[in-house]
Amino acid sequence: MDRKQIQQILHQYPTPLYVFDIPVLLERIAYLKKMLPEHVSLCYAVKANTFILSYIKDVIGRFEVCSPGELRICQMQGLPPEKLVISGVYKTPELMEELIGDGFDAGIYTVESVEQFGLLKKLADRYGQNIRLLLRLTSGSQFGVEADQIREMIRTAQTDPFVEIRGIQYFSGTQKTSIKRLAKELAKADHFLQSLKEEFKTELPELEFGPGFPVAYFKGEDFNEEEFLTEFSDLLNGLSHKGHITLELGRSIAASCGTYMTRVVDTKTNKGQNYAIMDGGIHQMVYYGQSMAMKQPLCQLFPDGTGKGENLWNLCGSLCTMNDILVKQLPADHVKIGDVVLFKNTGAYAMTEGIALFLSRDLPRILIRENDRVLCVRDGYQTYPLNLPGKGL
């Protein structure tokens, strides 16, 4: 967005609000595809940002959904069922029966436990529906299953006409900047796939891997992404597994398209410290690690800019808690009522991870920018009915 577009948005819509920039989003996806090998496709983690799905459904291979609500959102935004990965550490039995019983042609289901495998197999057999499965290999957390359990699932599926094991899924976390760590994780997944090939005399056709690519949220966190992706692509090309590879990404796809805008509504100086009170706060502005006050996020004071002069400002939100600090010691000549702070890289998770119902503050607007057109896709939403006893909404 240029200065004129920001001014138009702030003139038309009250803060706080999010703007998701679709040209930036599509450019980001194109860049990732260019940097990765041709035999690698992308799976977008819907939980990262549900508002952008309809704009990327034609340029993303798969969409991972982890809850009944996310599935409904995908359906309402017209995502093809065959592109959906029905995932999640808890798969609601009622929803699984609805999907399989109605013949919903989901692209694939993930398996997080022996219990989940049993549920999906039982439903496929009961309704005579073919299902495709990715078995998640645990990295040592509450997610996924042990290697021996995966082997037993494969043996069981070999005699079931309705259950097809497509491959394994492996994911161990996010914000990984170490190529050595990624190399170790890929080697583990690759070695396991090769052991399955030797044992069962057939190669599973798919590996879905969550690389957890990092996003720079704070000042001084920039790294050479082009070099990083080149090295990672070399790792993928060197795998023994020659089947299809899908990379599941969330923040790496969506983060850069988002800007959170919040306005200064009051200023004061207490004990020699300058404070600006914003109409937003930590209930709406969450970065990875929730370390807003310990690090300086990538942000810009509008219209006068930041980083000039010797004055330092603490930017605080509108919640009645001492924890509501967005930025500490921001250098700026002047901060006045009516100024706006633009927080960068807020396209992933920020609008959903915050304590949105705290103090019953309104939810912010969501705007989508398509080149010269700006759409309000969600108006400001009052949350106080959700905090009332009785029927609420």
Side-chain angles (χ1 to χ4, degrees):
M1 292 181 291
D2 58 28
R3 186 179 183 87
K4 181 179 179 182
Q5 290 169 329
I6 295 172
Q7 288 175 329
Q8 289 174 339
I9 288 171
L10 293 173
H11 176 74
Q12 185 173 357
Y13 298 100
T15 53
L17 57 85
Y18 294 96
V19 182
F20 300 133
D21 196 319
I22 301 305
V24 171
L25 174 64
L26 296 177
E27 184 179 336
R28 174 63 181 172
I29 293 172
Y31 173 75
L32 288 171
K33 287 183 175 181
K34 182 186 74 171
M35 294 300 299
L36 294 168
E38 290 186 2
H39 68 290
V40 174
S41 62
L42 299 180
C43 174
Y44 175 65
V46 169
K47 58 183 174 287
N49 185 332
T50 57
F51 292 94
I52 60 176
L53 299 178
S54 63
Y55 299 94
I56 62 175
K57 64 182 180 181
D58 295 329
V59 294
I60 292 291
R62 282 179 175 170
F63 295 83
E64 184 210 35
V65 298
C66 291
S67 72
E70 286 186 351
L71 175 61
R72 303 309 183 205
I73 290 171
C74 290
Q75 291 173 318
M76 293 176 72
Q77 294 201 46
L79 269 66
E82 63 271 17
K83 284 194 171 188
L84 300 185
V85 180
I86 308 301
S87 190
V89 68
Y90 173 53
K91 292 180 174 65
T92 311
E94 294 79 8
L95 178 61
M96 295 303 104
E97 182 158 13
E98 174 191 328
L99 295 180
I100 296 175
D102 290 346
F104 183 79
D105 189 24
I108 206 158
Y109 293 82
T110 68
V111 171
E112 289 272 2
S113 69
V114 174
E115 181 75 17
Q116 280 191 8
F117 178 77
L119 171 66
L120 295 171
K121 179 182 182 303
K122 178 179 69 175
L123 292 172
D125 293 341
R126 177 187 300 169
Y127 292 104
Q129 295 292 336
N130 295 317
I131 60 172
R132 296 166 291 274
L133 303 181
L134 281 175
L135 310 180
R136 182 167 182 176
L137 177 66
T138 187
S139 63
S141 67
Q142 73 268 39
F143 301 106
V145 294
E146 297 280 1
D148 287 345
Q149 293 172 320
I150 286 180
R151 291 188 176 93
E152 185 58 34
M153 291 177 196
I154 294 174
R155 292 188 192 98
T156 302
Q158 284 180 325
T159 59
D160 193 308
F162 301 111
V163 177
E164 178 187 2
I165 306 297
R166 292 292 301 171
I168 69 167
Q169 183 187 54
Y170 189 73
F171 179 73
S172 69
T174 190
Q175 290 294 83
K176 301 174 195 169
T177 58
S178 171
I179 285 292
K180 288 184 178 180
R181 178 181 172 185
L182 286 168
K184 184 178 180 179
E185 292 178 355
L186 279 171
K188 177 180 179 178
D190 193 38
H191 176 75
F192 182 56
L193 281 169
Q194 295 314 302
S195 72
L196 295 177
K197 180 180 179 180
E198 292 175 7
E199 181 173 351
F200 296 100
K201 309 307 178 186
T202 184
E203 183 170 22
L204 294 179
E206 294 193 35
L207 167 63
E208 182 170 301
F209 182 73
F213 288 156
V215 170
Y217 285 129
F218 303 104
K219 188 176 180 181
E221 283 189 340
D222 292 334
F223 76 111
N224 189 330
E225 186 178 39
E226 183 171 344
E227 180 180 307
F228 179 87
L229 291 176
T230 298
E231 292 183 25
F232 180 74
S233 294
D234 289 340
L235 293 177
L236 295 178
N237 286 325
L239 295 180
S240 299
H241 172 73
K242 300 306 178 184
H244 189 74
I245 297 175
T246 302
L247 299 181
E248 185 219 311
L249 298 170
R251 71 179 76 245
S252 183
I253 288 174
S256 61
C257 81
T259 302
Y260 174 66
M261 302 183 181
T262 177
R263 194 179 300 270
V264 177
V265 293
D266 202 356
T267 61
K268 62 182 76 174
T269 300
N270 289 342
K271 303 292 186 179
Q273 291 285 316
N274 296 318
Y275 293 95
I277 308 300
M278 321 299 296
D279 59 6
I282 60 170
H283 55 315
Q284 298 170 358
M285 186 59 264
V286 180
Y287 283 123
Y288 174 79
Q290 299 187 11
S291 52
M292 296 287 292
M294 293 181 283
K295 300 178 182 179
Q296 188 176 121
L298 302 176
C299 61
Q300 171 191 350
L301 187 65
F302 187 87
D304 295 329
T306 54
K308 299 176 291 185
E310 298 180 359
N311 294 327
L312 299 176
W313 289 82
N314 301 301
L315 307 185
C316 304
S318 54
L319 302 182
C320 292
T321 167
M322 290 185 181
N323 295 324
D324 195 3
I325 302 175
L326 296 177
V327 185
K328 280 186 175 180
Q329 304 297 293
L330 180 74
D333 275 333
H334 303 286
V335 175
K336 59 186 182 298
I337 294 174
D339 285 349
V340 174
V341 180
L342 313 178
F343 288 90
K344 307 296 185 180
N345 286 353
T346 59
Y349 297 109
M351 81 298 303
T352 55
E353 277 192 349
I355 46 176
L357 299 184
F358 188 49
L359 264 69
S360 299
R361 292 281 184 180
D362 292 354
L363 292 179
R365 286 167 179 79
I366 303 289
L367 307 183
I368 294 286
R369 187 183 83 85
E370 290 185 280
N371 298 317
D372 295 330
R373 184 174 68 153
V374 175
L375 304 173
C376 181
V377 296
R378 187 187 76 189
D379 205 349
Y381 189 84
Q382 293 180 326
T383 64
Y384 74 86
L386 299 174
N387 288 338
L388 281 170
K391 293 183 178 179
L393 290 178

